[in-house]
Amino acid sequence: MRVQAFALALCLCCPAASGTSPSIRQNLSVAEQYLFSAANAERVRYGVQPLRWSPGLYRAASRHAWLMAERGAISHQFPGEPNLKARGAAAGLRFSEIAENVAEAPTAVLIQQAWLNSPEHLRNMLDPAVDSVAIRVVQGAGGELFAVEDFDRTVSDLSLAQQEAQVGRLLESVSTVEVLPTTAEARQTCMMDSGYAGPRRPMFVMRFTAVKLNRLPSQLRLRLATGRYSQAEVGACPVGPSHGFSMYSIAVLLYR
């Protein structure tokens, strides 16, 4: 995770934020719309996929922006305040990456210029590993604008059954194994550090964690390529966020 601060965020004529619904745009300030559009314009200029607006990130960024305005200072974490990862998790977010830019300046244009002129802030803005963003801008007592720009890579909130079905489709796409219906024992095996649950002994067990279920681990693909296995079972199990980060936990059991 990269979190960077820049002590420097209103533009009276700013383009409307693209990639947000009309209802969301109505709730954003002009400065927030400008900074969102400006961030995506930079990503497009550098050939990076534009970011989608995240209401959850907006919730996470809002309280922190108000704290900065109240204290008249920028920081990624004030004394007694949860850190960025904890703020994201408290807002109900599931993510595998999270980063933050903060700034203080008289106008949103100056905020964007400062972020563009800072290699670390620009790296956060152009990071291809993130896919969502939200910007919260709050005016302080002296008229300065305090801005929080939060980024994350969203992890889809799939049920255990949906996770198992997705991995089952991957198994069928790369092998001829028959994917068996998931049992309670397969899910229990997923929660174990070693061994297996249930009366039937698998020939091979692969446990892995992932933030996306779009590809099988290479070791598992090599095993399947041997043609030694005729059946497979998939078990998913809950995994709590590790320091705020989310992922899937899967066990694949292979049988002759």
Side-chain angles (χ1 to χ4, degrees):
M1 180 193 73
R2 294 187 300 278
V3 289
Q4 302 294 334
F6 198 103
L8 272 171
L10 182 69
C11 174
L12 296 180
C13 291
C14 301
S18 60
T20 59
S21 69
S23 61
I24 291 176
R25 285 201 299 268
Q26 289 173 3
N27 294 326
L28 300 184
S29 69
V30 174
E32 291 162 352
Q33 293 188 45
Y34 167 77
L35 289 169
F36 177 54
S37 295
N40 273 338
E42 286 301 312
R43 288 176 71 91
V44 170
R45 187 162 78 91
Y46 283 90
V48 186
Q49 187 72 17
L51 299 165
R52 59 176 173 265
W53 183 266
S54 168
L57 278 176
Y58 191 73
R59 292 193 298 272
S62 290
R63 177 56 182 160
H64 187 62
W66 278 111
L67 278 177
M68 293 199 307
E70 289 169 1
R71 300 182 183 216
I74 63 171
S75 173
H76 290 291
Q77 184 180 11
F78 292 105
E81 181 192 24
N83 64 22
L84 172 61
K85 293 174 285 185
R87 296 198 303 268
L93 299 170
R94 289 173 54 87
F95 50 86
S96 59
E97 301 274 349
I98 192 164
E100 181 175 82
N101 290 340
V102 298
E104 172 192 359
T107 71
V109 171
L110 289 179
I111 283 183
Q112 180 66 8
Q113 289 176 354
W115 285 339
L116 294 181
N117 291 332
S118 165
E120 294 298 328
H121 293 84
L122 183 59
R123 187 177 298 118
N124 283 343
M125 193 180 298
L126 300 181
D127 189 355
V130 298
D131 57 19
S132 303
V133 69
I135 303 105
R136 185 68 167 104
V137 179
V138 174
Q139 189 173 44
E144 288 281 287
L145 298 181
F146 293 83
V148 176
E149 183 175 52
D150 283 348
F151 310 88
D152 79 2
R153 183 174 188 88
T154 302
V155 175
S156 300
D157 193 10
L158 302 178
S159 68
L160 296 183
Q162 289 172 323
Q163 296 172 41
E164 292 155 353
Q166 175 62 21
V167 175
R169 287 190 289 269
L170 292 175
L171 290 169
E172 292 173 338
S173 71
V174 300
S175 72
T176 59
V177 297
E178 174 191 5
V179 179
L180 303 173
T182 296
T183 63
E185 288 80 6
R187 289 185 176 177
Q188 185 177 347
T189 298
C190 177
M191 294 186 287
M192 298 167 60
D193 293 330
S194 62
Y196 64 96
R200 186 179 182 186
R201 176 172 180 160
M203 297 300 298
F204 178 74
V205 178
M206 164 68 77
R207 296 176 180 84
F208 65 94
T209 58
V211 298
K212 295 181 67 176
L213 297 177
N214 61 346
R215 184 176 176 83
L216 298 173
S218 58
Q219 184 182 359
L220 179 56
R221 295 200 308 272
L222 289 173
R223 285 276 182 168
L224 292 167
T226 66
R228 296 172 53 197
Y229 309 100
S230 61
Q231 294 181 322
E233 191 174 359
V234 182
C237 54
V239 54
S242 175
H243 302 292
F245 294 101
S246 299
M247 61 183 64
Y248 304 114
S249 183
I250 304 292
V252 176
L253 297 76
L254 299 180
Y255 305 96
R256 284 196 187 279

